[in-house]
Every structure is written in C-alpha cells, then in structure tokens.
Amino acid sequence: MQNLTGKQKRYLRSQANGLTPIFSVGKAGANQEWLAEVKKALAKRELIKVNLQQGSDWSAKDLAAFIEEESTVTVAQVIGKTLVLYEPATDAKYVKYSVEVEKIR
C-alpha cells in the first residue's frame, strides 16, 4: 500500500469520476482469487472502481481493509458502496496516472 497525500487522493478521485465499476462483490464476497484478478486489472489500468452489490455481506469499509491488508493496492476513496482502487503500473506501456501522482506532493 502506498501512502498518498490528500492532494494525490483528490487527483485520483477526479480521474475516477468518469469511470464505471469493472468489478463487483456479491454474496460470495472477496477472496484471494478475486483480489488477484483485481491486481491484474490494476496492472493495466492503474485506477479502477469496485462496486458492492446489495446482497453482499461485506461493508465497503470491510472490503477496503481486506484489500489493503492482503495486497499493495491503495484504496483512494470509499463512497457509499463504491471503492476507488489505485496501484502504479510496473510496465511503462500502461503508466497513465502514476506519473501525475508522483508530480503532486
């Protein structure tokens, strides 16, 4: 998990505003396999949204805690039943947001 400043989080939230959630958590919940898929998506996108379905037994805060404890993914925002996740890409081909995030201090 990367420690982001308030300005960096604000930038990421503004960039995530137009994104639609590409992952959701339902009754089955989240596990290591689900988290591995999220990390694969983040490796190519750097910034994604995750949605909690109505029938889910998880709360948004519980899911955020699970993600941050079990991986290097940073939760940039939790609002309602939606989480914004960020992880800098390691492949230069997929770097989009991390360059700007590093400029902001």
Side-chain angles (χ1 to χ4, degrees):
M1 182 179 90
Q2 185 178 6
N3 286 332
L4 299 174
T5 65
K7 287 182 180 182
Q8 290 170 324
K9 285 184 180 181
R10 191 176 323 129
Y11 169 75
L12 291 172
R13 287 193 308 260
S14 71
Q15 297 302 306
N17 191 30
L19 298 177
T20 56
I22 61 169
F23 284 95
S24 64
V25 176
K27 283 189 176 196
N31 55 29
Q32 290 297 329
E33 292 173 9
W34 178 86
L35 194 56
E37 292 299 318
V38 168
K39 286 186 64 69
K40 279 187 206 174
L42 280 166
K44 293 187 179 181
R45 298 175 186 239
E46 288 191 319
L47 189 66
I48 63 169
K49 279 187 178 179
V50 175
N51 194 24
L52 278 163
Q53 295 177 353
Q54 276 187 330
S56 177
D57 295 334
W58 289 66
S59 73
K61 288 183 181 179
D62 291 342
L63 182 59
F66 170 76
I67 291 169
E68 287 186 334
E69 287 171 10
E70 300 293 326
S71 68
T72 57
V73 176
T74 302
V75 178
Q77 181 181 32
V78 176
I79 185 164
K81 291 188 171 241
T82 305
L83 286 78
V84 176
L85 306 180
Y86 168 73
E87 186 174 46
T90 53
D91 190 350
K93 178 167 74 171
Y94 299 115
V95 171
K96 183 174 180 183
Y97 302 108
S98 55
V99 174
E100 291 298 319
V101 168
E102 288 302 315
K103 288 181 187 176
I104 301 169
R105 286 286 169 193

